[in-house]
Amino acid sequence: MSRLVLATAVVVLLFGGPASAADDRPLPPQNAKKLSEIIAKVEQRSDFRYIDEVDWDSGAYTVTYYTTDKAKVEITYDPVTAEPK
């Protein structure tokens, strides 16, 4: 019985830890533009081909995309103004 309790506690700690850590990440401010608006701006750039990744870190969105000539571009956007930093 004690092994079952111990095993359950280990599982809860292993899988519950990352979930609670994700809740501590800072969120975009209340007055932030919608992410879809920022993505639309990126898609309108000349020679745009496709978006590879969008990341939220240090209070800004970093969008990684590729151009038609296969160049990799990373742009950091202010979440409130939706303008590149």
Side-chain angles (χ1 to χ4, degrees):
M1 178 70 173
S2 64
R3 286 186 182 175
L4 177 62
V5 172
L6 179 61
T8 303
V10 169
V11 169
V12 168
L13 288 175
L14 288 177
F15 293 108
S20 65
D23 293 339
D24 295 340
R25 294 183 63 189
L27 298 174
Q30 290 285 26
N31 60 341
K33 300 284 185 184
K34 292 182 180 181
L35 180 57
S36 59
E37 290 179 40
I38 295 172
I39 297 299
K41 285 184 134 187
V42 173
E43 292 174 335
Q44 293 170 2
R45 295 179 68 91
S46 64
D47 296 332
F48 169 82
R49 184 158 183 231
Y50 68 93
I51 292 177
D52 182 50
E53 183 178 6
V54 178
D55 189 33
W56 171 257
D57 191 32
S58 301
Y61 289 108
T62 301
V63 180
T64 305
Y65 73 95
Y66 285 86
T67 62
T68 54
D69 62 351
K70 300 179 183 174
K72 181 179 180 179
V73 180
E74 286 186 13
I75 302 177
T76 301
Y77 284 91
D78 181 279
V80 176
T81 64
E83 296 297 323
K85 284 188 166 187

